[in-house]
Amino acid sequence: MKRKTFWLLTALALLALLLTACAPAAAPTEEQAAPEEQAAPAGLEPAKEIVFYNWSEYIDPEIYTLFEDETGIKVVEDNFSSNEEMLAKLQGGATGYAVIVPSDYTVSIMIEEGMLAELDQANIPNLANLSEQFKNTYYDPGNKYCVPYQWGTTGIGYIDGEVDEPTSWAVLFNPDPNHPAYGRTTMLDDAREAFAAALVYLGYDINTTDEAQLQEAKDVLIQAKAGLAGYDSDTYEDLLASGENLMAHGWNGDFLVAQEENENIAYTIPEEGGVIWVDNMCIPASATPEEKLAAEMFIDFILRPDIGAMLSDYNYYASPNAAAEANFDAEFLEDPTVYPPAEVLDKLQFIHPVGEAESLYQRLWDEVKSAAP
Ligand code: SPD
């Protein structure tokens, strides 16, 4: 076995451990080829139009055209910038969304609150294309409610050559006025991601509910503000590509996409560690039966090997779809920014739901946002 292949398999095995840590064991399922055509079940007509509520710049719009050409169903996209924004909108009673894309811990919260519809897996035969480790995640064993969409990590992007590789989160939390990125750095506008970075820097569990530790994390987040140009989850990679900023807390694939425009963009996970996450396609409980059927057809379409490959080719995130991975080129499969090596994976943690402490995180985050730099 080639060294790189061995390394990739080791990394995926570690990911499997992280993902299934709290889940019961699943019976292995044979991978099967994707059917070429997906027929709608008899008796119910799918909606003619559905709304896909997704993170920004996370899907190739050509996929909508291909889906519509084949099924006649039009997909309209709406975007959110954080799990909390999407959750608040749905908790506030928003309807009309057929497919949403929450991350792992938010799936747990939504299942607990009865906000997700159970999938009719008979309408999603391409589920068989998922890698084994994504069929039995700790937050949705057996894909009862959701189907993994893409996965990735949270770290720091920077302009190589202008900024030394940030090997510690201290570069954000202990800002130095003489650092070239001082005042030209952004952090994600995302409560759980921001607290995760601060907590990992302080050596605490990123899912702590200890109020003293969270206060300490709040203090370093406020301390970081002196060196920040702002909080941004949607355009931070463009601001690096244009040269306006030199450093950003963000998601691995976004930096790789921006690298197309500025080849000096690099990505690293500081030595204290970082976040690993899986985003998922789910159907809100509020979807009508027609929307739900159309949503399941869309999810099945995304799970095709060719469409899964188009997705990663566009957003540069790793795919949970084993059949799609077979279409990836070696350069992508061996890119450590996409598939972290085992020693990095070892230092990554999933964000988990923190129950009643969710509101404490939110209150402290509001205090961070409103504090003077
Ligand atoms: N541009 C799309 C980025 C999607 C990132 N989702 C990650 C959420 C992790 N908390």
Side-chain angles (χ1 to χ4, degrees), residues 243-296:
E244 184 168 331
N245 287 336
L246 297 180
M247 207 162 64
H249 167 226
W251 298 304
N252 58 334
D254 291 0
F255 295 114
L256 286 176
V257 171
Q259 231 176 38
E260 295 286 318
E261 214 182 305
N262 182 340
E263 62 182 16
N264 295 321
I265 293 179
Y267 174 78
T268 192
I269 293 172
E271 56 202 17
E272 297 95 339
V275 175
I276 183 166
W277 46 263
V278 180
D279 290 335
N280 305 271
M281 299 177 278
C282 320
I283 303 177
S286 58
T288 64
E290 293 77 10
E291 283 171 335
K292 181 168 183 283
L293 175 57
E296 285 163 346

Side-chain angles (χ1 to χ4, degrees), residues 271-353:
E271 56 202 17
E272 297 95 339
V275 175
I276 183 166
W277 46 263
V278 180
D279 290 335
N280 305 271
M281 299 177 278
C282 320
I283 303 177
S286 58
T288 64
E290 293 77 10
E291 283 171 335
K292 181 168 183 283
L293 175 57
E296 285 163 346
M297 291 167 70
F298 180 66
I299 291 171
D300 193 60
F301 191 74
I302 296 285
L303 283 172
R304 287 186 186 188
D306 54 336
I307 303 298
M310 268 179 87
L311 198 61
S312 287
D313 204 41
Y314 180 86
N315 63 27
Y316 286 33
Y317 285 101
S319 179
N321 183 334
E325 265 181 341
N327 294 322
F328 293 171
D329 57 31
E331 200 189 337
F332 189 74
L333 287 171
E334 289 165 5
D335 187 337
T337 295
V338 186
Y339 295 92
E343 68 274 14
V344 175
L345 264 178
D346 238 13
K347 292 191 287 191
L348 301 176
Q349 299 176 61
F350 276 97
I351 295 175
H352 282 265

Side-chain angles (χ1 to χ4, degrees), residues 55-58 83 103 105 190 193 251 254 277 279 317:
W55 304 80
S56 61
E57 296 174 62
Y58 212 15
N83 282 294
S103 306
Y105 72 98
D190 186 306
E193 286 280 11
W251 298 304
D254 291 0
W277 46 263
D279 290 335
Y317 285 101

Side-chain angles (χ1 to χ4, degrees), residues 50-65:
I50 54 170
V51 184
F52 184 34
Y53 195 24
N54 195 4
W55 304 80
S56 61
E57 296 174 62
Y58 212 15
I59 185 166
D60 182 346
E62 177 64 16
I63 292 176
Y64 299 142
T65 310

